[in-house]
Amino acid sequence: QVQLVESGGGSVQAGGSLSLSCARSGYIRGFVCMAWFRQAPGKEREEVAAIYSTGDSTYYADSVKGRFTISRDNAKNAVYLQMNSLKPEDTAMYYCAAAADPYGTTYYGCVAHVKVDFSYWGQGTQVTVSS
C-alpha cells in the first residue's frame, strides 16, 4: 500500500523560507509523477509544482515560479519543495501527490500541467505566512 507523508510545514513571516518533504512508502511499478498541491480555505486546490521520476523537467504554477523549487531523491522515494520569498498568499495546506505511470506515458502530462490522475495523496502539512 502506497503512503505519502508530508513534513516541514509551519509558520513563517513574509519573505522567509520553508522546506517541505514528502516521504513515499510502498511500491509503485514503473515511473511516477510527483506533485505538490495546495489549498487555502475557500479556494480551489492548486497544483503548485510537479516532477517526473526521470529527467530534469518540472512544472511550476505561475504564482510560485522563481520562488519555489521541487526536487526528488529517487533512492529515498522522496520529493521536496523548497519555498523561498514566501508571501501571505502562500498560506495553505500543502499536499504531496503521486501518480503511477507503469508504461511511461505520463511524462508530458506531468511536466506540462496536462491532466494527470494522482491516485495517492498525503494528509497535508500546513504552511502559514504572516505579513
Side-chain angles (χ1 to χ4, degrees):
Q1 184 176 356
V2 175
Q3 289 187 325
L4 303 176
V5 179
E6 303 97 336
S7 61
S11 297
V12 66
Q13 288 191 329
S17 298
L18 283 173
S19 181
L20 305 183
S21 298
C22 173
R24 173 167 61 88
S25 61
Y27 177 69
I28 294 180
R29 185 169 70 93
F31 304 93
V32 184
C33 175
M34 298 292 296
W36 287 95
F37 287 77
R38 68 184 180 187
Q39 188 165 22
K43 294 188 176 182
E44 291 189 355
R45 187 175 61 194
E46 174 190 23
E47 185 177 7
V48 173
I51 189 167
Y52 198 66
S53 49
T54 61
D56 299 325
S57 295
T58 53
Y59 161 77
Y60 294 99
D62 288 342
S63 56
V64 306
K65 278 182 183 176
R67 301 187 298 121
F68 290 12
T69 302
I70 189 171
S71 61
R72 67 174 190 263
D73 186 333
N74 290 340
K76 296 181 178 180
N77 287 334
V79 65
Y80 310 98
L81 187 68
Q82 178 64 41
M83 305 183 294
N84 299 327
S85 301
L86 282 162
K87 305 175 181 180
E89 51 264 43
D90 294 317
T91 295
M93 185 70 81
Y94 283 71
Y95 298 91
C96 176
D101 185 17
Y103 304 108
T105 59
T106 312
Y107 175 82
Y108 175 76
C110 182
V111 300
H113 194 50
V114 177
K115 182 173 174 57
V116 173
D117 181 16
F118 289 96
S119 300
Y120 307 103
W121 293 84
Q123 294 298 310
T125 185
Q126 178 68 37
V127 171
T128 302
V129 184
S130 58
S131 57

